Structure formats: structure tokens, C-alpha cells
Amino acid sequence: MNEKADAWQMELTQITWDVDTLLNGYDLTTLNQKPGPEKWSPMQVVHHLVLVNRSYFPIFDQLIEQRYKAPLLGKIPFYGRKLGELILSANQKPAPIKTFSPWEPSNSLHDKELQQAFVDTQHRLSAYLQELEPYFNRGLMIASPANRWLVYPLDTAIDIIIAHEKRHCKQLKSLLASEK
């Protein structure tokens, strides 16, 4: 694997371990408790991460099977690179970002199966990193699974996924720190 992919793998492993360890320290009542009416519970944060990451899987499958149809806006590399940088930058800031409706977590109570779904999703994402290695560093443009008008390079998509996970991992730590 190339250095960038190796770094992604290490970050993904660390995030998976951090979230799993964090969740194991609390009961389901605490994990499903919302800090406010418009705020997400820790389990909703985890559900959101699962929804976002899994939404990329069909794109990754199509890339691997060489059936991915590049978005029209992807033919303007400057646009995709700049948009990707903008989205990545937004995910590296602690300020809340309004999510797309397909990525909204459910309001139902979640059980420990969601925690396992998160770990399984992380393992699948890790496997995709290995399978997608031939496509990295090629400037290949993909569309966001939430909106076809948002395009960015595949490498930036992975950076966005990792930054997004890190941001929500910090959010989880903050939410649960107030429970101690």
C-alpha cells in the first residue's frame, strides 16, 4: 500500500478503537440520551457515521468493478479539487454542519447492535482502502453519495471520511464526558 493509504488505515483503526472503547464504558440509557431537543445522542452520532460511510460503498464497488460513471462536473478538475478542499476544511472545524437528509440518524433508541454495525462498517471501509489502492493518486473524481452536484477526487473523499469520523469522535467524547 502507498504511504497515504497506510496512514488512512492507521487513522481508521485508531478511530474504530476509540469509538468502540468509548461506547463500551456506558449503558444504553446514557448512550441514547440526547443533550437537547435539537442535539444528537451518542448513538445517533454513531448511526450517522454508519449511514455516511455505507453511502460511499456502492460508489467504491462501482469503481472496483470499473462501472463507475464519472459525474459531468468531474470533468472540471479545478472545480472538484476546490470543492473537495472546502468540504474537507469544513469537516476539520468543530462547528456543527447541517447534514444531508439521507445521513440524518433515526430518532429511535439504538441497541448494542449499532455499535457492532459501526465496527463492521469500519472493517469494510478498511477493506475498501486496500481494494481502491490502484485508483488513488490518479485525480479520479467521484460525486458525493448525498448530492451528485458535489464532486471531489477519490483521495479527498477518503480524507473527508476520516476527518468526519475524527470530528464526530471528538463530539462523542465531549457528549460522554459530561455524563461522568
Side-chain angles (χ1 to χ4, degrees):
M1 273 185 125
N2 68 42
E3 286 180 37
K4 199 175 196 181
D6 285 342
W8 287 327
Q9 287 282 6
M10 290 187 341
E11 288 178 299
L12 197 59
T13 300
Q14 184 64 51
I15 293 164
T16 305
W17 187 85
D18 286 348
V19 171
D20 196 44
T21 302
L22 190 60
L23 296 179
N24 281 332
Y26 296 88
D27 61 41
L28 283 172
T29 302
T30 303
L31 293 174
N32 279 292
Q33 187 172 337
K34 294 172 75 164
E38 299 300 315
K39 306 275 186 186
W40 290 348
S41 72
M43 289 303 260
Q44 284 179 301
V45 172
V46 173
H47 187 225
H48 168 70
L49 289 173
V50 169
L51 291 172
V52 170
N53 290 353
R54 286 184 179 174
S55 72
Y56 279 92
F57 293 176
I59 295 169
F60 295 162
D61 286 333
Q62 290 171 21
L63 286 168
I64 292 163
E65 296 164 5
Q66 297 182 352
R67 333 179 262 107
Y68 185 72
K69 186 174 187 247
L72 186 58
L73 286 173
K75 304 219 183 289
I76 309 169
F78 173 78
Y79 173 79
R81 280 193 308 274
K82 287 299 176 193
L83 190 55
E85 290 169 10
L86 181 69
I87 295 168
L88 178 59
S89 175
N91 273 287
Q92 292 170 330
K93 295 176 182 165
I97 302 170
K98 178 76 176 132
T99 194
F100 290 100
S101 60
W103 294 339
E104 286 280 345
S106 76
N107 284 319
S108 61
L109 296 179
H110 298 281
D111 58 22
K112 286 292 186 172
E113 286 181 25
L114 178 60
Q115 183 176 351
Q116 186 58 50
F118 171 77
V119 171
D120 293 345
T121 301
Q122 294 293 92
H123 290 311
R124 185 63 192 127
L125 183 55
S126 179
Y128 275 122
L129 290 177
Q130 293 174 5
E131 294 175 69
L132 290 167
E133 186 178 10
Y135 303 97
F136 295 139
N137 299 316
R138 290 180 39 195
L140 183 65
M141 294 287 175
I142 67 166
S144 165
N147 185 328
R148 294 249 341 135
W149 295 102
L150 301 177
V151 299
Y152 34 79
L154 173 63
D155 299 52
T156 304
I158 304 300
D159 286 333
I160 290 168
I161 290 168
I162 299 289
H164 180 250
E165 287 191 354
K166 285 180 176 179
R167 187 166 62 83
H168 282 302
C169 189
K170 285 180 186 172
Q171 180 187 11
L172 281 172
K173 288 176 182 176
S174 175
L175 281 170
L176 292 169
S178 65
E179 293 298 322
K180 291 213 175 202

